[in-house]
Amino acid sequence: MAELIPVEAFDLIIFGGNGDLASRKLLPALFHRFCDGQITNDSRIIGVGREELDQAAFIGNVKQAFETINPLAVDKKFQPFSALIDYVQLDALDHGSWKKLVERLKGHEHKATTVYLATHPTLFGSIANGLSKNGLIHDQMRIVLEKPVGHDYESASNINDEVGTCFRENQVFRIDHYLGKETVQNLLALRFGNSLFEPLWRREVIDHVQITVAEDLGVESRLDFYNRTGALRDMVQNHLMQLVCLVAMEPPSSLSDDSVRDEKIKVLRALKPIGAGEVKTHTVRGQYTAGAVAGEAVNGYAEQLKDGESSQTETFVAIKLEVDNWRWSGIPFYLRTGKRLERKHSEILIQFKQVPHSIFDTEHFSTLPNRLSIMLQPDEGMKLNIMAKEPGPGGFKLKPVSLDLSFEQTFGVKYPDSYERLLMEIFRGNQALFMRRDEIETAWQWTDSILEGWESASQSLEYYKAGSWGPTGAFLMLDRDDRHWATG
Ligand code: BG6
């Protein structure tokens, strides 16, 4: 593995320091980077929260959370790591309570400082404003906005306005953790580090694209949030849109922040709107009922609600979309994502067109179209399905075979969690893996039109059994086009 270079010493202030994201993702990610020597002892990690806690109690909570995730990881390195951690009690809406943070940051004004907002998005504007009013913002400061930035175009745009009055756009890092996934970045390597694929990456050669992000988990402890959100807002507006962008975008002129983001925004702007007239044929909304996942019986979504409550929230969505430009015109992109599906499985599949004419014995052997699968998780890798001659003298028999590349076997390393990579990119000030304001807002405009369409067309939910691959409607959507999902 290449030598890891430490990042410049920093102050990281995490609002929502006691929250789920901080304890499950951010602090473990920082610990791992510390263990690998990328974070130096003169950095500080300051958790900020409303709870009255002292430094020792906060460190105790962090340790406990680590032990729940991976007890083996809490070894002798935890002690030096904990020396970096501090805690400040602060209620962002109470002007008087900012004093403690001001004191804690005094004398560190020239240090690279990152403020990470892992709170409810309705607080983003107030926190930015509090930082500004208390004179804490300086040129070396970056602000990180955790997803979701808003719940529709209007709220996202208001948040961006509020944050934008205090910070310049090049100080704002909007996270989509899918952009930190190794295989997602490998899409860039595949497309632009090889000359092989580019001539094939177009409507004349490709039949369609499928993107599946399937989860076996349910909504866990986030029922309240999820019930107000649903799969379209939670997964499609951000993660799946980013995947569509990376598959569909034109080659950027470099890997610099804006070259990549300029190309992604063009894809988002080229998405054909799906409104009330199209939602019935181009989208499917589903919700899971009781079933079994990995051999274990699980409740249906509605059974987790309070007695007498019902919910129209979708836990599954499938969409047929089109990118309306020269490269992709007429080529469908089928997306699907859902909770409590058969297993965790995320994949991008490019299906090429069938050969125009078969010279083989088509009565006995059909030639299958070539498929390139990019497996995002859990088994990261790539697979290219081709037709080959079956060995032997028994005639010219064709057989589909696959050229298989497992990243873990090839590179022999376990990839770090995406937050580890993204945090390092923030400390280095690289914005390429973060969403620009226009990207987030354009993606919201597109998903808002689907949400409005669902409402005005009274699109009902289709139920699917937990542990299945989603509602029948998602299969029919492809059947109507004489296609089928590669998995399920
Ligand atoms: C989050 C969603 O952004 O992504 C969750 O809010 C979802 O609902 C999660 O479970 C999936 O992330 P991953 O990395 O496990 O695919």
Side-chain angles (χ1 to χ4, degrees):
M1 202 151 89
E3 199 199 330
L4 299 171
I5 301 165
V7 292
E8 186 191 339
F10 58 81
D11 278 354
L12 170 65
I13 304 154
I14 307 177
F15 283 80
N18 280 309
D20 188 55
L21 182 83
S23 54
R24 262 188 335 106
K25 291 287 183 184
L26 304 180
L27 287 153
L30 292 160
F31 179 53
H32 292 150
R33 292 305 90 220
F34 176 80
C35 292
D36 279 349
Q38 278 193 288
I39 296 180
T40 52
N41 290 326
D42 44 355
S43 291
R44 295 193 301 171
I45 300 166
I46 305 173
V48 173
R50 274 184 305 188
E51 296 81 351
E52 228 14 293
L53 285 180
D54 62 14
Q55 184 186 19
F58 181 62
I59 292 172
N61 288 352
V62 174
K63 190 166 183 211
Q64 204 179 6
F66 281 21
E67 277 162 353
T68 330
I69 306 167
N70 183 0
L72 295 178
V74 190
D75 57 11
K76 52 185 186 314
K77 287 216 170 131
F78 186 78
Q79 172 58 30
F81 175 68
S82 69
L84 273 49
I85 302 178
D86 200 352
Y87 181 78
V88 170
Q89 194 261 334
L90 186 159
D91 176 352
L93 301 178
D94 169 10
H95 189 60
S97 76
W98 281 79
K99 258 192 271 140
K100 286 186 211 146
L101 185 63
V102 174
E103 276 160 25
R104 216 59 65 87
L105 296 180
K106 214 184 251 157
H108 289 258
E109 293 82 2
H110 300 295
K111 202 167 176 188
T113 309
T114 296
V115 178
Y116 199 120
L117 307 190
T119 62
H120 197 278
T122 48
L123 288 175
F124 290 177
S126 311
I127 298 174
N129 194 26
L131 291 165
S132 165
K133 274 201 177 138
N134 286 285
L136 296 175
I137 302 181
H138 52 78
D139 274 357
Q140 295 283 326
M141 184 174 275
R142 297 171 186 136
I143 189 159
V144 185
L145 311 185
E146 183 54 49
K147 115 174 217 295
V149 176
H151 63 275
D152 57 12
Y153 166 72
E154 202 185 329
S155 54
S157 161
N158 288 340
I159 290 172
N160 284 330
D161 278 346
E162 286 172 330
V163 173
T165 55
C166 310
F167 289 89
R168 293 186 313 273
E169 181 62 24
N170 66 4
Q171 293 176 289
V172 184
F173 289 70
R174 297 178 191 82
I175 286 245
D176 181 318
H177 78 276
Y178 268 54
L179 291 178
K181 289 187 189 277
E182 194 71 38
T183 352
V184 173
Q185 293 179 25
N186 239 315
L187 251 178
L188 293 175
L190 175 84
R191 289 198 56 199
F192 308 123
N194 297 287
S195 59
L196 184 65
F197 295 108
E198 177 51 24
L200 307 178
W201 217 257
R202 57 196 62 252
R203 62 190 300 281
E204 292 79 6
V205 193
I206 289 178
D207 179 75
H208 73 275
V209 176
Q210 293 181 18
I211 301 181
T212 295
V213 177
E215 295 185 81
D216 52 355
L217 293 179
V219 296
E220 311 304 297
S221 56
R222 299 192 311 155
L223 182 64
D224 189 41
F225 160 79
Y226 197 86
N227 212 25
R228 284 178 280 117
T229 308
L232 185 75
R233 288 189 172 101
D234 186 42
M235 295 294 288
V236 178
Q237 186 273 341
N238 32 74
H239 305 325
L240 276 86
M241 283 296 99
Q242 288 298 318
L243 298 180
V244 169
C245 286
L246 294 178
V247 171
M249 73 185 196
E250 294 301 313
S253 56
S254 74
L255 265 189
S256 73
D257 305 352
D258 278 334
S259 300
V260 175
R261 301 193 299 181
D262 284 347
E263 295 309 329
K264 287 199 291 169
I265 186 74
K266 288 183 201 160
V267 175
L268 293 169
R269 290 193 183 126
L271 294 179
K272 221 181 202 169
I274 297 176
E278 297 82 23
V279 284
K280 287 234 158 21
T281 48
H282 285 60
T283 72
V284 175
R285 316 175 57 226
Q287 191 187 84
Y288 63 86
T289 56
V293 177
E296 297 248 336
V298 295
N299 281 337
Y301 181 76
E303 286 155 89
Q304 302 165 75
L305 303 167
K306 292 195 193 99
D307 278 350
E309 259 183 17
S310 65
S311 166
Q312 285 301 302
T313 301
E314 78 286 352
T315 58
F316 175 98
V317 58
I319 300 179
K320 172 181 170 179
L321 69 78
E322 253 184 70
V323 182
D324 228 0
N325 62 18
W326 272 47
R327 190 185 282 265
W328 296 109
S329 178
I331 302 304
F333 281 59
Y334 300 101
L335 319 182
R336 64 176 172 169
T337 181
K339 302 251 179 226
R340 286 281 188 237
L341 296 179
E342 191 185 293
R343 62 187 147 88
K344 189 170 175 75
H345 174 82
S346 302
E347 173 182 18
I348 298 172
L349 179 126
I350 316 289
Q351 177 151 328
F352 295 93
K353 289 195 194 292
Q354 184 59 281
V355 290
H357 163 73
S358 181
I359 59 168
F360 304 101
D361 170 7
T362 46
E363 228 178 84
H364 296 100
F365 314 103
S366 49
T367 30
L368 298 178
N370 300 126
R371 283 177 159 182
L372 173 69
S373 310
I374 299 144
M375 264 85 68
L376 304 181
Q377 53 192 21
D379 305 311
E380 293 114 332
M382 285 179 199
K383 208 187 263 184
L384 180 63
N385 287 359
I386 56 166
M387 298 303 296
K389 181 192 169 296
E390 201 177 316
F396 214 115
K397 293 184 185 164
L398 287 186
K399 206 174 169 194
V401 289
S402 64
L403 306 175
D404 230 329
L405 171 78
S406 148
F407 288 152
E408 195 169 350
Q409 275 171 22
T410 306
F411 295 105
V413 283
K414 178 92 193 82
Y415 299 107
D417 184 83
S418 48
Y419 277 98
E420 298 185 31
R421 175 168 306 102
L422 293 174
L423 282 163
M424 292 296 111
E425 292 296 297
I426 297 166
F427 299 142
R428 292 188 193 107
N430 295 339
Q431 283 190 310
L433 296 181
F434 300 85
M435 290 179 291
R436 210 167 54 189
R437 171 177 187 155
D438 50 359
E439 273 181 81
I440 288 237
E441 293 181 6
T442 310
W444 272 124
Q445 281 169 326
W446 188 78
T447 40
D448 278 358
S449 79
I450 297 181
L451 287 164
E452 285 155 21
W454 282 348
E455 195 161 338
S456 53
S458 311
Q459 174 115 335
S460 48
L461 281 174
E462 284 187 43
Y463 293 93
Y464 63 98
K465 230 177 156 161
S468 70
W469 281 100
T472 317
F475 293 89
L476 294 178
M477 189 165 90
L478 269 74
D479 268 3
R480 285 194 295 273
D481 295 348
D482 211 11
R483 299 185 173 108
H484 59 272
W485 294 106
T487 308

